[in-house]
Amino acid sequence: MSTDERTLAEFMLNADGLIGAARAHQHLRDTGASLSQATVSRMLLRLDELGVTEAVGRGGRRLTETARLVLVRASQHRRRNQLIDDIFDEADRSELIDLLSLRKIIEVEATTLACDRSDDSDHLALLTNLAAYDDHSLCGGDFSKDAIEFHVLLCKATHSAPYALIAEALYPEMHRLEPLIVAAAHRAGERSRSSAEHAAIVRAIIRGDAEESRRLTAEHFDTMIHWLAALSESEFAALVMRAEEETER
């Protein structure tokens, strides 16, 4: 869909009643579009052809149920992304620590399930990730995506749709937190600790040792939380600035 067509479809998502060409034209003009009513009428016909809208007698049009579900999902994703952007843009340490604490709760339970449900393909994916993390780290490359991918793979190894959904929907944006955690680790003189902790968690999962994997996962998050909490306000602000500069390079 074009920008104007998407604007019109989103208007129809939240509007009361059926939408005719005149009402659609007025809305688009109010949003700054310079279109004739005839153009808007043709736009509505095209939306019909795309399966986005459907005519209801002569009273106007409404969104099809399929289009409504897609637009609702897209709206939810935008709100989610905005919330995540707000957390990182404000660089509020307490909220970043809250985020790690929430992930700790999720992943302690995830690793327990992974011990029981993961298979050889999950183990291979985790081991491959560990190798990539170490390779990028040793070569001075960007391993922030490797770091967050580890946690996505951990949740997916549960073979549970809710855990996989949380990881795949939310975690990809979390790679923005990794440079800050890495900088905090360097400040604490523990550059390689996260990699070692990831490896220990994977070994416990492969052994099927649920108690050990829970303990190791909790300690892993406690370590990251400690790194951030131990910084002074000025140190935290300086690390945020440095991490942002490195991300922009």
Side-chain angles (χ1 to χ4, degrees), residues 36-81:
S36 67
Q37 187 163 323
T39 298
V40 174
S41 294
R42 289 193 293 273
M43 185 184 299
L44 288 168
L45 289 173
R46 174 176 148 75
L47 290 175
D48 287 349
E49 293 172 357
L50 292 173
V52 176
T53 57
E54 58 188 1
V56 182
R58 296 185 178 181
R61 286 175 171 79
R62 65 187 177 195
L63 292 175
T64 62
E65 190 58 31
T66 298
R68 180 175 295 278
L69 290 173
V70 170
L71 288 169
V72 167
R73 190 175 298 116
S75 177
Q76 291 170 340
H77 288 175
R78 282 196 297 273
R79 286 197 295 272
R80 178 207 70 189
N81 290 342

Side-chain angles (χ1 to χ4, degrees), residues 94-230:
S94 65
E95 290 189 342
L96 294 178
I97 289 175
D98 287 347
L99 178 59
L100 288 172
S101 298
L102 177 60
R103 286 178 53 193
K104 173 184 173 181
I105 294 169
I106 293 169
E107 293 189 42
V108 164
E109 298 306 320
T111 194
T112 305
L113 292 176
C115 283
D116 181 53
R117 302 178 183 177
S118 62
D119 54 30
D120 289 344
S121 64
D122 298 312
H123 301 162
L124 178 60
L126 286 164
L127 291 169
T128 301
N129 171 266
L130 292 178
Y133 187 116
D134 287 343
D135 185 48
H136 291 150
S137 177
L138 290 172
C139 294
D142 179 10
F143 53 88
S144 60
K145 291 186 178 179
D146 298 320
I148 200 64
E149 183 191 30
F150 169 81
H151 295 278
V152 173
L153 291 171
L154 177 60
C155 288
K156 292 176 72 173
T158 64
H159 290 259
S160 165
Y163 281 94
L165 176 63
I166 289 171
E168 292 180 342
L170 295 179
Y171 279 24
E173 292 299 320
M174 300 304 170
H175 76 271
R176 286 182 285 177
L177 179 57
E178 292 303 322
L180 182 56
I181 293 175
V182 170
H186 287 190
R187 175 70 178 76
E190 297 185 292
R191 175 173 181 168
S192 62
R193 182 163 176 174
S194 284
S195 176
E197 290 182 343
H198 284 189
I201 292 168
V202 171
R203 288 194 297 268
I205 289 173
I206 292 174
R207 293 196 309 271
D209 190 337
E211 183 177 350
E212 181 71 355
S213 67
R214 287 177 67 90
R215 182 184 67 80
L216 291 169
T217 302
E219 288 181 356
H220 178 52
F221 280 96
D222 287 342
T223 295
M224 293 186 285
I225 291 169
H226 173 73
W227 286 338
L228 291 181

Side-chain angles (χ1 to χ4, degrees), residues 5-22:
E5 288 169 342
R6 181 170 292 278
T7 298
L8 182 53
E10 290 175 348
F11 169 61
M12 295 177 75
L13 176 65
N14 299 303
D16 294 327
L18 301 175
I19 304 298

